[in-house]
Each structure stands twice: as C-alpha cells, then as structure tokens.
C-alpha cells in the first residue's frame, strides 16, 4: 500500500489525469474537422507529448509536430515519384530518419518522422487525404498538449529545482552518515562504499533542472513571476556541487585514517554527523546550528589528532560548512 501511495502521489495523479483528459479533448476537437470521423492520431500525439518529463512536455509536442511534418513530406515525395510498395517504405523511412538525424533532431522527432513516412506510403490510396489528416491530427493533439502543459498547468519551476536539490542533499547526507559509522566502527570497507555513493551523485541533474526551470519561467505565462525567485538558486546549486566534491575529500581522509591502527577522535565523527544533519534539515535556523556544531567539532578533532587523514577530513568538513552557509543565504534571499 505504501509503495502504491508513493507511485501515485499528487503530482503523478495530476499528470495522469491531464494526459487522459488531453487524449479525450484532442479526439473531440479533431472530429470537428470536415471528413475527419476517425482522428486516431490526435489523442496519440497528445499522449506522446504529455508523456515527457514535467517542464519538457511543450517542447515534446513541438518535436512530435516536426517529426510528423518531415515524415509526411518524405512519404509524399516517395509516393509521388515511385508509388507504394515494400521498397518504397524502406526508402521513405530511411529518408525521414536521415533528414531528422542530419538536422540533429531528438529520438522522438526521428521516430515520428519514420512512422509518418511509413503510414503515408503503406496506406496510400488514390484520392485519399491520409497525409493531410495525420498532419491535422498532430497539430490538434500537439496543440492540446501545449495548452495544458504551458498555459493551464505548467510545472512550478522553483519546485522543479527544489526537488533535485533535496535529492542531492539527502544522497550526500546518507553518504556522510555512512562515513561516520565507518569511523565509529573502524570499518574501512564501509567508507569505501560511502565514497562510491558520493561518486554516484550526479550533480548535472541539478544544473539541468535549473536550466529547465528558467526555460519554463520564460515560456509559461503563468510562471513568469518565478524568474526572480530562481536567481538565488544558481549560487545554491554551485555550493551543493562544491559540497559533493568536498565530501569526496572527507571520504578520502576517513579512508586514510581507517588504513591505520589509529582510532578516529570522537570529534571527527561528530563533525561528519553534524554536516549530515545540516544537509537533511530545511529550516535555516536548524541548518545554521548544525553547521556551527560541525565547525566546532572539526576544529576540536584537528586539535586532538594531527595525522594527515584527520587533517584532510576536517579541512573538507570545514569547506562543506562554508558551502552550507551559502545555501542558507540563498534560501533566505529566495524567501524574501
């Protein structure tokens, strides 16, 4: 039950509802066109467009439209020159794929171009208007998708960045907690696992979310007011990316300590735990207290143990604390 609840959260349910409604609306609208009683591709185009990630659905609709247009053009030319048949299908599909690939189009555009070219050739009948109908369907379905995705229900761009930021912070906090356990139990293998978890954190996702959020705020009329709220998120993203790099140094210092018989001072463990607490917290006041706790513990650990491993670990911990100060300032600026 809990797994199903996670899979069908509010946002997921809203996207599914929008897709289903878009399919029905596209069907009804396309049927109003003269001689267009079976506009099967209109709801399909709407579903394909709205199947993209939030923030990319309007662009997906445009890619579908571009692919259908290219494919219909390629298929129509082949039929006009050499008629229909197996070889003609190969030529039309190949031409559509070559054109879209040379254009640098996405996989959705290339696929739709090839499918449209095949349908034009395979279903061609003298005097039929299949190509025109499919093109109209794509415009109706894509238009409905754009209306829903960019005008009526655009995603909140700030929320888009916040989700990626939360994911990064939680992954980093979990890795630091693993390092703290490794130092407490003197388990080098556990520290190696923590380093692997840090290396697996993809900071590019946060950068991509920020770029996409700016694009949504620029294109969606309802979200243009979010542009100023996105400004503080650039230094926040840079600080979190730097914190990931510093966390690698924390893991490296811990591995150096665990490669010897020396026991890590309790203050070193406390510094790492405090940083994990700061990363998990959302309240700036709580984050600030955890950061100060981490700084005090790191300095105490360096005073108690002058080994190279502890020096590397505490230096990186203090650097993460500095990066979290930037994160706090960015959050407070955004709130204002």
């Amino acid at each position: 039950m809990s797994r199903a609840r996670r899979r069908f959260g509010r946002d997921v349910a809203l996207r599914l509802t929008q897709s289903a409604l878009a399919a029905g609306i596209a069907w009804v609208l396309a049927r109003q066109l003269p001689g267009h009683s079976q506009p099967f591709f209109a709801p399909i185009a709407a579903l394909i467009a709205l199947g993209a990630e939030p923030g990319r659905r309007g662009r997906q609709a445009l890619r579908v439209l571009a692919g259908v247009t290219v494919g219909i053009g390629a298929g129509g030319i082949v039929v006009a020159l050499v008629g229909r048949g197996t070889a003609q299908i190969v030529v039309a599909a190949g031409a559509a794929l070559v054109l879209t690939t040379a254009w640098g189009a996405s996989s959705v555009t290339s696929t739709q171009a090839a499918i449209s070219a095949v349908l034009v050739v395979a279903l061609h009948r003298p005097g039929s208007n299949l190509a025109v109908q499919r093109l109209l369907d794509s415009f109706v379905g894509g238009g409905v998708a754009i209306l829903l995705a960019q005008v009526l229900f655009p995603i909140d761009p700030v929320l888009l960045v916040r989700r990626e930021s939360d994911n990064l912070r939680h992954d980093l906090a979990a890795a630091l907690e693993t390092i703290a356990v490794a130092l407490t139990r003197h388990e080098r293998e556990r520290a190696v696992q923590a380093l692997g978890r840090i290396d697996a954190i993809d900071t590019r996702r946060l950068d991509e979310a920020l770029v996409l959020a700016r694009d949504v705020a620029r294109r969606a009329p309802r979200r243009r007011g979010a542009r100023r709220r996105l400004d503080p998120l650039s230094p926040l993203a840079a600080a979190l990316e730097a914190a990931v790099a510093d966390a690698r140094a924390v893991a490296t210092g811990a591995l150096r300590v665990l490669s010897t018989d020396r026991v890590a001072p309790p203050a070193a463990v406390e510094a790492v735990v405090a940083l994990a607490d700061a990363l998990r917290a959302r309240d700036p006041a709580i984050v600030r207290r955890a950061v100060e706790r981490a700084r005090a513990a790191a300095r105490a650990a360096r005073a108690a143990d002058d080994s190279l491993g502890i020096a590397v670990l505490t230096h990186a911990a203090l650097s993460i604390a500095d990066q979290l100060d930037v994160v706090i300032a960015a959050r407070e600026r955004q709130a204002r």
Side-chain angles (χ1 to χ4, degrees), residues 283-319:
D283 187 333
I286 297 176
V287 177
R288 190 173 281 111
R289 286 196 295 269
V291 166
E292 290 307 315
R293 198 170 85 238
R295 281 199 178 98
R299 290 166 182 151
R302 191 154 56 186
D305 189 330
D306 61 355
S307 66
L308 179 58
I310 291 299
V312 172
L313 187 153
T314 54
H315 178 78
L318 289 171
S319 182

Side-chain angles (χ1 to χ4, degrees), residues 93-110:
L97 291 172
V98 167
L99 286 171
T100 51
T101 301
W103 178 20
S106 67
S107 59
V108 170
T109 301
S110 298

Side-chain angles (χ1 to χ4, degrees), residues 6-330:
R6 287 195 300 270
R7 287 179 179 175
F8 293 96
R10 180 178 178 275
D11 293 338
V12 174
L14 183 59
R15 290 203 305 271
L16 295 179
T17 302
Q18 290 175 13
S19 296
L21 286 175
I25 293 170
W27 172 267
V28 171
L29 291 178
R31 287 195 67 187
Q32 307 309 310
L33 299 174
H36 214 60
S37 59
Q38 296 295 322
F40 66 92
F41 187 67
I44 293 175
L47 289 170
I48 293 173
L50 293 177
E53 293 182 13
R56 303 181 188 274
R57 299 183 298 176
R59 188 168 296 174
Q60 182 99 319
L62 295 176
R63 288 170 177 168
V64 171
L65 295 176
V68 170
T69 303
V70 172
I72 288 175
I77 292 173
V78 169
V79 169
L81 293 177
V82 292
R84 58 190 293 265
T86 303
Q88 288 87 333
I89 288 178
V90 173
V91 172
L97 291 172
V98 167
L99 286 171
T100 51
T101 301
W103 178 20
S106 67
S107 59
V108 170
T109 301
S110 298
T111 302
Q112 288 302 317
I115 291 173
S116 297
V118 169
L119 289 177
V120 168
V121 176
L123 302 180
H124 174 72
R125 295 290 184 275
S128 69
N129 60 348
L130 174 66
V132 175
Q133 288 182 356
R134 182 169 171 82
L135 186 60
L136 291 174
D137 282 354
S138 67
F139 275 98
V140 172
V144 170
I146 292 172
L147 178 66
L148 289 177
Q150 292 194 352
V151 179
L152 298 180
F153 305 107
I155 189 170
D156 184 346
V158 175
L159 180 61
L160 190 67
V161 179
R162 185 179 299 161
R163 284 174 179 168
E164 287 300 331
S165 169
D166 288 346
N167 291 337
L168 189 153
R169 289 187 301 102
H170 291 160
D171 290 345
L172 191 56
L176 289 175
E177 287 169 346
T178 303
I179 293 173
V181 173
L183 289 171
T184 302
R185 300 179 181 177
H186 205 80
E187 296 178 352
R188 190 176 188 280
E189 185 58 35
R190 192 182 293 270
V192 172
Q193 294 173 1
L195 180 58
R197 294 183 69 171
I198 294 170
D199 288 336
I201 297 175
D202 188 359
T203 57
R204 292 174 300 178
R205 290 183 61 88
L206 183 55
D207 291 333
E208 291 169 356
L210 192 54
V211 171
L212 181 59
R214 290 197 181 102
D215 190 42
V216 171
R218 185 177 64 254
R219 288 185 290 107
R222 286 186 58 198
R223 300 304 185 189
R224 285 174 185 164
R227 283 180 288 187
R228 291 183 61 187
R229 296 175 61 203
L230 291 172
D231 290 341
L233 296 182
S234 293
L236 181 148
L240 288 177
E241 290 173 11
V244 173
D246 291 329
R248 291 190 182 94
V250 171
T252 301
L255 285 170
R256 185 175 287 274
V257 172
L258 295 172
S259 297
T260 67
D261 294 332
R262 304 180 67 146
V263 177
V269 178
E270 171 61 19
V272 178
V273 170
L275 289 174
D277 292 342
L279 284 163
R280 289 193 183 279
R282 292 203 59 87
D283 187 333
I286 297 176
V287 177
R288 190 173 281 111
R289 286 196 295 269
V291 166
E292 290 307 315
R293 198 170 85 238
R295 281 199 178 98
R299 290 166 182 151
R302 191 154 56 186
D305 189 330
D306 61 355
S307 66
L308 179 58
I310 291 299
V312 172
L313 187 153
T314 54
H315 178 78
L318 289 171
S319 182
I320 293 175
D322 291 341
Q323 301 302 336
L324 290 176
D325 282 341
V326 177
V327 172
I328 295 170

